[in-house]
Amino acid sequence: SSDDFIISLIIYVFAAFGVYGNICFILTVIRTKQLQNSRALLLSTLCTMHIIVLTVFVVSRIFYTYKIATTRQTCLIIYSLPPGIYAASHHAVLYLILVVDVIIALTQPLRYSRFSRTIYVVAIQTPCFIYGVGLIIAHLLSPTQTGDVKNQCLFADVYEASVSNFRIQFGSALNMAIVVLYAIVIGLLLKFRHLRKHRQAIKGVMVLALFFLLSQFLVFAVAYVAYFFHEPTASNIRAFHKKYAIAYALPAYSLTYYVHYFISKDYRKALSKTGLCGIYYNRLKNEQLNITVIPM
């Protein structure tokens, strides 16, 4: 149908641009010593999780497009072999960790600069590890999912009902926590003038979190709204959500590279030397070097 074609097109376009951008971002951080700080490493981890999830979305969409018979157990396998379940869980909590990282950098600048980078990056992601591994353990303890899946595999098809309800409630609380912490960040920037010099450095993280909140709000809000209606309206809302949820969730997995390219001068300069932009940059540089100056 036309709806299926549009959704497939959205998925493939966002996945292509998202995987490309995330890989370029990681390569840029690896190649650019000036960017190898704690926040850049956290963002690189975020990009890695996004690559995994986008890959899983494409694979599950191919299953749906070619009408390959799919059960909920098959969905679980699709989302587990590349660790899609873990990556999606890690990515959700990592947005909260990025906000915490910003607050630590603003309120404890001297200690922040002295932290061992590797130890700090691993330690601050402890909640991500706990949540991701916890959901995997919950799956191992849950009954086998045997029902058929009519639409594309989504996370809702993977999770057992009680785990899915917990995920919705936890996701809602996580979103509220991110909003509160960013309100604190904005309050700090407004109250203390000496902190305003950090606005450029944290602007990219704040815009990314905004996209995440908007996409997650739609994902969880629409699912939550169904609880307030009786049948068959509730079923119709769930069917709508199941069909279109992936479309409005995709931006959160695809924009790290592009947000930092357009917002941060430092990242834009470094990112311009990687990927397709890097090819153009090197060609332009070579052309400038090959210009012959004719003496007057």
Side-chain angles (χ1 to χ4, degrees):
S1 67
S2 59
D3 284 352
D4 287 335
F5 174 78
I6 292 171
I7 294 173
S8 296
L9 183 63
I10 291 172
I11 291 171
Y12 295 141
V13 168
F14 269 103
F17 279 95
V19 170
Y20 167 79
N22 287 321
I23 291 174
C24 283
F25 189 94
I26 295 169
L27 290 176
T28 300
V29 172
I30 293 173
R31 294 175 179 178
T32 310
K33 189 173 182 180
Q34 294 86 344
L35 294 182
Q36 292 174 2
N37 52 50
S38 299
R39 189 167 304 130
L41 294 179
L42 289 173
L43 288 169
S44 297
T45 303
L46 187 70
C47 289
T48 303
M49 301 303 160
H50 288 174
I51 291 170
I52 295 171
V53 175
L54 288 170
T55 303
V56 170
F57 281 164
V58 170
V59 171
S60 64
R61 192 64 188 180
I62 291 172
F63 269 67
Y64 173 71
T65 301
Y66 290 96
K67 302 188 184 305
I68 300 173
T70 307
T71 65
R72 297 188 72 177
Q73 187 64 20
T74 307
C75 289
L76 177 58
I77 294 172
I78 293 173
Y79 277 82
S80 299
L81 289 179
I85 295 174
Y86 176 82
S89 306
H90 191 112
H91 122 101
V93 182
L94 189 50
Y95 278 102
L96 178 68
I97 299 304
L98 283 166
V99 190
V100 173
D101 174 70
V102 167
I103 292 176
I104 294 173
L106 291 177
T107 58
Q108 303 290 331
L110 293 179
R111 290 185 181 180
Y112 184 80
S113 61
R114 294 173 184 170
F115 288 144
S116 171
R117 189 171 56 210
T118 303
I119 295 175
Y120 171 78
V121 169
V122 173
I124 200 171
Q125 291 184 85
T126 301
C128 304
F129 302 137
I130 293 173
Y131 182 56
V133 173
L135 282 183
I136 292 175
I137 293 173
H139 277 296
L140 295 176
L141 299 177
S142 299
T144 302
Q145 304 296 308
T146 57
D148 292 329
V149 175
K150 296 180 180 180
N151 294 309
Q152 178 178 357
C153 286
L154 297 175
F155 287 106
D157 299 309
V158 178
Y159 297 113
E160 188 269 334
S162 60
V163 179
S164 182
N165 290 336
F166 168 77
R167 181 172 171 269
I168 291 173
Q169 294 171 8
F170 180 84
S172 301
L174 186 67
N175 294 342
M176 289 301 300
I178 293 173
V179 170
V180 169
L181 289 177
Y182 264 115
I184 292 174
V185 170
I186 293 171
L188 289 172
L189 293 175
L190 292 175
K191 184 175 182 180
F192 301 104
R193 291 188 176 183
H194 69 281
L195 297 178
R196 295 179 186 178
K197 62 183 179 180
H198 298 285
R199 284 184 298 183
Q200 185 66 31
I202 66 175
K203 193 184 294 183
V205 176
M206 295 182 73
V207 173
L208 272 181
L210 176 62
F211 276 110
F212 170 75
L213 289 170
L214 288 174
S215 64
Q216 291 297 297
F217 173 78
L218 288 172
V219 170
F220 289 112
V222 176
Y224 194 70
V225 164
Y227 289 104
F228 295 94
F229 292 88
H230 300 291
E231 298 295 343
T233 305
S235 296
N236 292 335
I237 293 174
R238 292 190 185 98
F240 173 87
H241 174 259
K242 185 172 178 54
K243 188 168 186 177
Y244 294 100
I246 193 168
Y248 45 74
L250 277 170
Y253 299 97
S254 307
L255 297 177
T256 303
Y257 169 89
Y258 304 100
V259 165
H260 284 82
Y261 186 90
F262 287 106
I263 288 181
S264 171
K265 293 181 181 178
D266 293 335
Y267 274 102
R268 180 163 55 251
K269 184 177 179 180
L271 292 170
S272 296
K273 302 176 184 179
T274 306
L276 295 177
C277 292
I279 295 173
Y280 175 76
Y281 174 86
N282 291 327
R283 181 181 297 175
L284 185 63
K285 186 176 180 182
N286 291 332
E287 288 177 356
Q288 290 174 345
L289 292 175
N290 292 330
I291 293 175
T292 302
V293 179
I294 302 175
M296 299 297 290

